[in-house]
């Protein structure tokens, strides 16, 4: 099939209704409020959107499979993803403070430390590790509260 810059497309009544719904949807979006939403611009948006969702990132995935993947995504999935990102952020904070603590401890002891002394925190059998994890969580919470307090005091001054 050869495409030209000006191409006529024949659509069914149902597809025409969908195009009108798409036009109405796009016209309500703040993202496009500064531009004239012509039919050519709408087609450009739809082509680029299809390309981004189906071709660019998933060129090896068959169309029906990719469509099914996209249809499965719900707002709950986005919330789950945000919660997971927050949890991972917390984990990264844990790692930061753990590494800082390890560095501080190692720099103060006489070299008798060996990694073999560590026990797994996942088994939960180490009271010391559980206490350390709780202390680190408290430090993180204190940091969050302190940062919030600083932001609030800056807002009051402004």
């Amino acid at each position: 099939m050869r495409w030209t810059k000006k191409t006529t497309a024949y659509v069914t009544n149902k597809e025409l209704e969908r195009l009108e719904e798409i036009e109405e949807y796009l016209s309500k979006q703040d993202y496009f409020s500064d531009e004239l939403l012509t039919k050519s611009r709408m087609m450009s948006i739809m082509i680029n959107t299809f390309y981004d969702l189906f071709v660019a990132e998933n060129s090896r995935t068959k169309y029906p499979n990719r469509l099914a993947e996209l249809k499965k995504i719900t707002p709950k999935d986005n919330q789950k993803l945000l919660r997971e990102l927050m949890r991972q952020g917390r984990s990264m904070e844990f790692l930061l403070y753990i590494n800082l603590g390890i560095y501080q401890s190692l720099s103060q002891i006489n070299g008798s430390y060996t990694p073999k002394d560590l026990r797994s925190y996942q088994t939960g059998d180490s009271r010391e590790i559980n206490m350390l994890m709780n202390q680190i969580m408290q430090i993180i919470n204190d940091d969050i509260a302190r940062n919030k307090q600083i932001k609030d005091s800056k807002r009051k001054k402004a």
Side-chain angles (χ1 to χ4, degrees):
M1 175 185 321
R2 176 119 170 99
W3 291 88
T4 63
K5 284 189 174 189
K6 189 171 183 175
T7 300
T8 302
Y10 294 95
V11 295
T12 65
N13 286 337
K14 184 176 182 178
E15 291 167 338
L16 188 59
E17 287 175 22
R18 287 182 173 181
L19 280 171
E20 289 170 355
E21 287 180 40
I22 291 169
E23 181 178 23
E24 183 180 335
Y25 172 82
L26 292 174
S27 67
K28 292 179 181 176
Q29 300 301 308
D30 292 338
Y31 183 79
F32 302 107
S33 64
D34 293 339
E35 62 182 281
L36 182 62
L37 198 59
T38 63
K39 297 212 181 323
S40 292
R41 178 66 179 123
M42 251 182 51
M43 288 302 295
S44 176
I45 292 167
M46 290 187 292
I47 289 168
N48 288 324
T49 301
F50 185 93
Y51 181 85
D52 289 344
L53 294 175
F54 288 89
V55 180
E57 295 297 323
N58 296 287
S59 60
R60 292 187 179 142
T61 305
K62 293 184 179 182
Y63 172 79
N65 297 343
R66 178 65 178 147
L67 184 60
E69 287 174 3
L70 292 170
K71 283 183 176 182
K72 286 181 187 176
I73 299 171
T74 65
K76 286 183 180 180
D77 294 331
N78 292 337
Q79 292 170 353
K80 287 178 191 174
L81 181 60
L82 286 173
R83 280 195 303 272
E84 178 63 21
L85 287 172
M86 289 174 62
R87 188 187 67 74
Q88 287 182 3
R90 280 276 214 223
S91 296
M92 294 304 293
E93 289 174 345
F94 262 116
L95 289 174
L96 171 68
Y97 282 100
I98 288 169
N99 286 328
L100 289 172
I102 289 170
Y103 174 77
Q104 187 176 22
S105 294
L106 290 175
S107 64
Q108 293 175 356
I109 58 177
N110 61 8
S112 63
Y113 165 80
T114 64
K116 292 179 184 176
D117 295 337
L118 288 175
R119 293 170 62 189
S120 172
Y121 75 93
Q122 293 177 343
T123 59
D125 65 345
S126 173
R127 186 170 162 260
E128 296 84 9
I129 291 175
N130 290 338
M131 288 174 52
L132 175 64
M133 298 290 265
N134 289 333
Q135 289 172 352
I136 291 169
M137 182 55 85
Q138 185 59 48
I139 291 170
I140 291 170
N141 290 336
D142 291 347
D143 275 357
I144 291 170
R146 193 171 24 253
N147 287 335
K148 185 180 184 312
Q149 198 173 37
I150 290 169
K151 284 181 185 176
D152 290 345
S153 65
K154 286 182 180 178
R155 285 184 190 151
K156 288 178 183 176
K157 289 180 183 178

